[in-house]
Amino acid sequence: MITLHEEITVERDIKDCFRYVADFRTVAEWDATALNAKKRTSGPIGLGSRFTVQCAVGPAKVTIEYEITEFYPWASVVLVGKSRFFEVRDVITFTESEALTHISYTAEFKYRLGISTFEQQLESGMRAMGSETLQGLKSALDSLSSPPGISDCTARADRWVAPGVAMFSKWGYRRSIAQRNPNSHFLDGRHVVLTGANSGLGLATSVALAEAGADLTLVIRNPAKRDELLETLEAETGRSDITVEIADLSLMAEVNALADRLLAKNKAIDVLINNAGALFNDYALTSEGLEQSFALLLASPSLLTRKLHPLLEGHSTPSRVINVVSGGMYTEKLVCDRLIMTPAKYQGAQAYARAKRALTVLSELWAAQWQEDRIIVNAMHPGWADTPGVASALPTFRSITRRILRTSDEGADTIIWLARAKEAGEISGKLFLDREPRTSYLLAKTKESAAQRAQLESFIDAQIDNASAH
Ligand SMILES: NC(=O)c1ccc[n+]([C@@H]2O[C@H](COP(=O)([O-])OP(=O)(O)OC[C@H]3O[C@@H](n4cnc5c(N)ncnc54)[C@H](OP(=O)(O)O)[C@@H]3O)[C@@H](O)[C@H]2O)c1
């Protein structure tokens, strides 16, 4: 048996430390050997929660099945992990003194027959790994990461376009795991408003933000889905204090009414996530006379965000607006007049990409305009994720690419990071993929003119005014 023992002291609240470590999915953020980690049981983290962790041990990949066997909130957690080669018992204890938390970590490895003969040779490597792992945990909890920049590798991939696009797949997500900033901050008491919360990326985000303690207002279109959503969230996270608002966001009257309800409550918003969206293959006008892609994907987040500005501005910690766009927007250039497509020329994917391009530009414009108001604005795109929206709008694309699509959790990861991470609150006006800022233009010919940028907001407003007059 090899026993590793390490101790660290971090500048974090003991509860945050315990919650972060006991949710063993986070191991991929602080253990250099962990490639990914998934939670295998439903329900809040506690006794009996199970996790599958894939580790790289030299050239080999080892899968370890962990289970929490002892769970004493804020004091200690014990996990037992089993793999083909070894069994490990991790005992992690937490003690606090003033504003510091002391973490003691003991890992006892018992090797299976055959491997145990090499124990002595393995020991020094294991000790180095144990020390590196705890330093990784310290850095995640001390939250020392600076806001990320575009890495050289990503910049090169984007210059060649095809490798940049390949990163939209699950391989792009996996590649990013090793280099991305950890997400160790919680959102207790912070008010998050999220649209499109009942499906796909929105549902994955709802669960993750409920787990992170956010005070959630979830906006959904269909009242019949409210109970199922609340039941799912309670079963997954133990939370029964979540607010649901109903609005069809393709209708400006409903966007206005939603914003008015939120303004009447006068409850500050710390994070607004404009996620609701759909790709409409067929041309249609809303009952207010707006082309539906334009209405839902652009007019709606524009109107909602600007109406909610009074609840977002002026907080001591800057509030965050996160606009969910799409890598599809890389194919289109912003030309305001082309945002409203005619029935004869309508193509769903193009209308979608144009609206998402415009929302990306809008994010940059707002970031600049609202700096003084202490509101940061970023756009993100999720890559290609296998969600109900993709299954219904793009069945052929899905059947061709199914093996390389991300899960909803993987697609939502950057939304969650932008909402939670400390350093994500220090960067504004960027487009993100996989917790990393990315170029807004893969092709030079898609760069809009200054005149089109300057016209964008008044163009959207004019269309919204027409809808109101309808
Ligand atoms: N999945 C991807 O690969 C991918 C790629 C790029 C960008 N995106 C973007 O990611 C966001 C989430 O998409 P998803 O893939 O998770 O799709 P999804 O599973 O279809 O979820 C979309 C959400 O938006 C809601 N929504 C649609 N129309 C609405 C309306 N008129 N009013 C209010 N809510 C409405 C849906 O509600 P209902 O359940 O009631 O329809 C649902 O909650 C979208 O903005 C999408 O454009 C996704």
Side-chain angles (χ1 to χ4, degrees):
M1 185 164 82
I2 296 179
T3 302
L4 306 179
H5 182 79
E6 295 285 336
E7 310 215 351
I8 52 171
T9 300
V10 295
E11 289 183 39
R12 282 295 287 278
D13 173 73
I14 192 166
K15 290 184 183 174
D16 282 6
C17 294
F18 181 90
R19 285 159 83 188
Y20 183 67
V21 176
D23 183 347
F24 215 56
R25 283 172 292 189
T26 62
V27 73
E29 296 187 338
W30 44 270
D31 181 335
T33 64
L35 300 171
N36 63 64
K38 291 193 164 52
K39 180 162 162 265
R40 288 297 175 203
T41 39
S42 55
I45 304 290
L47 196 63
S49 290
R50 292 200 306 275
F51 307 88
T52 302
V53 180
Q54 259 212 334
C55 290
V57 181
K61 277 190 188 158
V62 179
T63 301
I64 313 172
E65 301 294 345
Y66 279 96
E67 180 171 345
I68 296 183
T69 58
E70 292 176 41
F71 186 79
Y72 300 104
W74 329 144
S76 69
V77 59
V78 177
L79 293 114
V80 172
K82 293 181 181 167
S83 79
R84 268 191 305 149
F85 305 112
F86 58 80
E87 190 173 316
V88 58
R89 183 168 183 272
D90 288 352
V91 180
I92 311 155
T93 59
F94 304 79
T95 44
E96 72 182 324
S97 68
E98 293 168 5
L100 304 175
T101 299
H102 187 72
I103 302 176
S104 149
Y105 202 124
T106 303
E108 293 167 355
F109 287 87
K110 276 192 212 148
Y111 289 93
R112 304 227 185 266
L113 226 56
I115 308 272
S116 51
T117 32
F118 300 107
E119 235 175 64
Q120 271 188 331
Q121 288 94 313
L122 289 171
E123 191 162 344
S124 68
M126 298 286 291
R127 293 205 181 284
M129 181 196 77
S131 160
E132 195 185 334
T133 297
L134 264 280
Q135 285 315 308
L137 180 58
K138 179 171 167 53
S139 128
L141 286 168
D142 277 340
S143 216
L144 299 175
S145 309
S146 323
I150 303 183
S151 69
D152 290 346
C153 168
T154 300
R156 255 196 316 278
D158 284 347
R159 266 199 302 280
W160 287 96
V161 183
V165 173
M167 287 188 209
F168 297 5
S169 71
K170 68 179 181 189
W171 305 119
Y173 175 82
R174 308 238 159 116
R175 173 202 81 114
S176 73
I177 290 177
Q179 67 208 36
R180 67 194 185 195
N181 283 5
N183 204 358
S184 72
H185 275 264
F186 291 89
L187 291 169
D188 300 298
R190 291 181 66 77
H191 183 205
V192 180
V193 177
L194 164 68
T195 67
N198 62 288
S199 174
L201 307 181
L203 181 57
T205 304
S206 305
V207 171
L209 296 185
E211 287 174 331
D215 177 358
L216 284 175
T217 298
L218 303 179
V219 182
I220 65 170
R221 168 174 45 177
N222 185 345
K225 296 183 179 173
R226 179 204 297 255
D227 289 351
E228 190 188 340
L229 174 62
L230 289 176
E231 280 161 21
T232 304
L233 289 171
E234 184 159 8
E236 273 302 316
T237 70
R239 296 277 305 274
S240 56
D241 56 348
I242 287 161
T243 304
V244 174
E245 289 283 349
I246 308 293
D248 180 337
L249 297 173
S250 65
L251 298 174
M252 298 308 110
E254 295 212 12
V255 176
N256 271 315
L258 166 68
D260 287 342
R261 291 197 298 277
L262 294 172
L263 287 164
K265 287 185 184 172
N266 199 22
K267 181 167 159 183
I269 297 173
D270 298 295
V271 185
L272 168 64
I273 306 173
N274 290 309
N275 164 73
L279 191 158
F280 300 108
N281 287 309
D282 298 320
Y283 178 89
L285 296 180
T286 67
S287 58
E288 296 175 330
L290 278 180
E291 188 279 301
Q292 60 179 344
S293 303
F294 174 86
L296 177 63
L297 301 169
L298 185 57
S300 163
S302 169
L303 182 59
L304 184 66
T305 308
R306 283 177 306 128
K307 281 209 73 164
L308 294 180
H309 184 278
L311 298 178
L312 289 159
E313 73 176 328
H315 305 181
S316 55
T317 306
S319 60
R320 308 176 185 196
V321 174
I322 302 163
N323 290 324
V324 179
V325 298
S326 161
M329 68 100 194
Y330 280 121
T331 57
E332 290 291 327
K333 173 178 176 168
L334 173 70
V335 179
C336 293
D337 290 340
R338 293 197 210 143
L339 286 169
I340 308 272
M341 295 180 78
T342 58
K345 294 210 168 142
Y346 184 83
Q347 286 179 29
Q350 201 170 37
Y352 176 87
R354 288 179 182 180
K356 294 291 193 182
R357 161 65 75 195
L359 186 58
T360 308
V361 174
L362 210 47
S363 310
E364 293 166 2
L365 294 173
W366 287 341
Q369 284 168 25
W370 296 346
Q371 214 174 353
E372 301 280 291
D373 304 334
R374 303 180 63 74
I375 303 172
I376 64 159
V377 186
N378 287 298
M380 66 74 66
H381 84 88
W384 298 318
D386 193 3
T387 62
V390 167
S392 67
L394 298 168
T396 312
F397 169 80
R398 180 173 181 255
S399 67
I400 296 168
T401 58
R402 190 185 309 202
R403 284 161 165 257
I404 59 161
L405 293 180
R406 297 161 178 236
T407 64
S408 291
D409 286 341
E410 291 169 348
D413 176 78
T414 298
I415 308 177
I416 298 155
W417 179 80
L418 283 168
R420 283 183 63 180
K422 182 168 149 268
E423 69 277 17
E426 296 162 19
I427 187 165
S428 192
K430 301 285 183 207
L431 167 69
F432 283 84
L433 170 67
D434 293 330
R435 306 189 190 184
E436 189 184 356
R438 306 296 292 255
T439 176
S440 297
Y441 307 92
L442 283 176
L443 306 165
K445 66 177 185 192
T446 57
K447 181 125 184 58
E448 69 282 344
S449 68
Q452 290 297 325
R453 277 176 90 82
Q455 265 179 38
L456 178 59
E457 286 194 274
S458 52
F459 178 86
I460 298 169
D461 285 348
Q463 309 306 316
I464 295 173
D465 288 348
N466 284 344
S468 316
H470 195 263

